[in-house]
Amino acid sequence: MTQASQISENQVLEALEGVMDGDESIVSKGMVQGLQVQDGHVVMAIVVPPSVGASAEPLRKEAEKVVHALNGVLSATVVLTAESEPGGGNSGHDHGHDHGHDHDHDHGKAQKEAPLLPGAKSIIAVASGKGGVGKSTTAVNLALALKAQGLKVGLLDADIFGPSQPRMLGISGEPQSSDGKTLDPMEGHGIKCMSMGFLVDEETPVVWRGPMVQTALIQMMRDINWGTLDVMIVDMPPGTGDVQLTMAQQVPLTGAIIVSTPQDMALLDARKGLNMFRQVDVPVLGIIENMSYFACPHCGEHTNIFSHGGAKKEADTVGMEFLGEIPLDVQIRETSDGGNPVVVSDPDGAHALAYKAIAKRVWEKTEDALAAKAASEPRILQ
Ligand code: ADP
């Protein structure tokens, strides 16, 4: 990493000394938290009392402007965070999901930040117990299969460890702003996409720290012109650690899908994923077994490299639906790695049909989950 003209945390703080909340700077008031500076990308949170909430928006904008104007800053992301006791209200998808717990006990007085992904009818996480099981490949093909059903689909690549969706959707370049204020998502094969990969170089491994991940994620949901979507697919980082748990909590998810290979089923990795979503009350729509068997491209014979069918058995044991299986096939790898996933490059082939059948079931279950949610939520009249 070159050190030339690199912006430092101190330089950012110095500039923020000029941003005043009343007659004191937000820095001396201790309102700046989670400041992270990496390769010219700056992310931070401004902590405000829950009662102030969205009315602090001008402060947030000003801080973002001041930081952005600094030499050597490529992007500035500032979010408002309401300080409150943990574990509070996480109800209602339309308000205050940003932090999962900005609950104000002062009946109805709380002013909330702008809702996350207000135009998305449903949001589905695609997760896995560990990396390399084909989660991103599954996510992109599912997104395309949902689109083939006539749905408006977005893909939020939240995989901080290996953002691969820009490549899989054949997208290059950087997001632009058509209204001069908010960034437009990028688009590939008719899918709107934002990715951590647009914030960092795919080649450069980045050590993300907690607050940086959260602010970037929130920015990708809140500050992007997503428009209306029937479904947003979120490609989660692999694994079930704190980062994943926080994301599962922050994103107003309608449901989650777990991708697993047969051998991970045996290792119970997928069960960890199920438990993670259960912890945050997100319904798991089902499990997909990827690299389920090897289909010989020459003779068509199916070879079970790992014990095939484990996912179905495991799904039955833990009460998850088994959504289907996708074979290990070089066509799947080559097409998605080459920016032309199999669902668009061979839309009537056996693999595309397998993804489409899974997508159909996923959408049915999503509509059920939306209906169940609507039935259980009290209507708030204002
Ligand atoms: P993850 O998101 O779980 O880390 P990826 O989707 O990036 O995994 O997949 C890892 C590699 O495996 C990629 O090169 C991808 O093309 C390949 N791959 C994924 N699924 C399959 C499959 N069913 N058949 C063949 N290759 C696959």
Side-chain angles (χ1 to χ4, degrees), residues 138 142 145-146 149 257 287-289 323-326 353-363:
T138 308
L142 263 188
L146 287 161
Q149 261 179 256
I257 293 169
I287 185 161
I288 299 173
E289 188 174 85
L323 292 166
E325 57 188 24
I326 303 291
L353 296 181
Y355 283 118
K356 285 176 179 173
I358 293 174
K360 188 164 170 280
R361 182 64 189 138
V362 164
W363 184 241

Side-chain angles (χ1 to χ4, degrees), residues 13 18 35 58 84 93 119 202 231 299 313 323 331 382:
L13 284 173
L35 174 63
S84 67
H93 272 178
E202 204 186 335
V231 55
C299 67
K313 222 178 194 175
L323 292 166
Q331 189 196 9
Q382 286 180 339

Side-chain angles (χ1 to χ4, degrees), residues 131-137 290-291 326-329 332-333 336-337:
V133 302
K135 171 186 54 59
S136 300
T137 310
N290 189 39
M291 309 191 197
I326 303 291
L328 176 70
D329 190 304
I332 295 178
R333 187 180 65 71
S336 48
D337 289 356

Side-chain angles (χ1 to χ4, degrees), residues 214-233:
Q214 286 167 38
T215 43
L217 183 70
I218 287 170
Q219 193 201 23
M220 289 203 295
M221 291 190 281
R222 195 203 53 198
D223 296 342
I224 303 291
N225 287 326
W226 285 107
T228 54
L229 295 173
D230 292 308
V231 55
M232 172 72 93
I233 297 288

Side-chain angles (χ1 to χ4, degrees), residues 40-353:
H41 297 285
V42 179
V43 293
M44 57 174 258
I46 297 179
V47 182
V48 294
S51 55
V52 173
S55 61
E57 177 65 11
L59 202 62
R60 186 193 73 75
K61 282 221 169 91
E62 189 189 342
E64 219 164 59
K65 206 169 120 198
V66 164
V67 176
H68 203 246
L70 289 172
N71 247 344
V73 170
L74 300 174
S75 75
T77 304
V78 180
V79 296
L80 294 174
T81 307
E83 218 165 33
S84 67
E85 72 280 83
N90 199 13
S91 61
H93 272 178
D94 289 341
H95 302 287
H97 251 274
D98 311 29
H99 313 293
H101 34 242
D102 51 345
H103 198 187
D104 192 338
H105 291 291
D106 202 359
H107 299 289
K109 256 201 195 164
Q111 293 201 27
K112 310 286 187 173
E113 271 188 50
L116 297 177
L117 295 174
K121 191 168 155 191
S122 62
I123 308 173
I124 300 170
V126 177
S128 62
K130 62 168 219 185
V133 302
K135 171 186 54 59
S136 300
T137 310
T138 308
V140 74
N141 278 296
L142 263 188
L144 290 163
L146 287 161
K147 172 161 185 299
Q149 261 179 256
L151 298 169
K152 274 197 225 162
V153 186
L155 181 51
L156 180 63
D157 183 5
D159 187 347
I160 45 170
F161 305 119
S164 50
Q165 294 303 352
R167 179 168 43 87
M168 291 194 173
L169 280 172
I171 300 172
S172 57
E174 277 178 20
Q176 308 291 325
S177 173
S178 49
D179 61 7
K181 284 187 234 143
T182 337
L183 285 181
D184 299 327
M186 304 288 278
E187 204 164 319
H189 300 295
I191 304 270
K192 290 184 177 171
C193 175
M194 269 308 285
S195 169
M196 294 279 189
F198 298 136
L199 304 178
V200 295
D201 182 354
E202 204 186 335
E203 307 296 307
T204 322
V206 185
V207 182
W208 293 80
R209 280 180 277 166
M212 189 166 175
V213 172
Q214 286 167 38
T215 43
L217 183 70
I218 287 170
Q219 193 201 23
M220 289 203 295
M221 291 190 281
R222 195 203 53 198
D223 296 342
I224 303 291
N225 287 326
W226 285 107
T228 54
L229 295 173
D230 292 308
V231 55
M232 172 72 93
I233 297 288
V234 183
D235 185 1
M236 295 278 286
T240 50
D242 283 349
V243 171
Q244 293 81 352
L245 187 68
T246 311
M247 277 194 187
Q249 220 164 14
Q250 275 182 336
V251 182
L253 294 170
T254 313
I257 293 169
I258 293 168
V259 179
S260 178
T261 60
Q263 77 271 37
D264 298 315
M265 280 321 301
L267 295 173
L268 299 182
D269 269 339
R271 204 178 273 200
K272 289 189 209 144
L274 175 71
N275 290 337
M276 175 174 83
F277 289 110
R278 282 200 175 144
Q279 260 186 60
V280 291
D281 281 336
V282 172
V284 173
L285 304 178
I287 185 161
I288 299 173
E289 188 174 85
N290 189 39
M291 309 191 197
S292 190
Y293 54 89
F294 174 68
C296 175
H298 306 294
C299 67
E301 192 193 340
H302 288 188
T303 311
N304 298 329
I305 303 190
F306 310 108
S307 62
H308 174 227
K312 175 139 191 21
K313 222 178 194 175
E314 171 69 7
D316 289 346
T317 314
V318 294
M320 254 192 291
E321 178 165 335
F322 180 67
L323 292 166
E325 57 188 24
I326 303 291
L328 176 70
D329 190 304
V330 69
Q331 189 196 9
I332 295 178
R333 187 180 65 71
E334 281 176 357
T335 50
S336 48
D337 289 356
N340 255 322
V342 73
V343 168
V344 279
S345 55
D346 185 11
D348 299 317
H351 301 318
L353 296 181

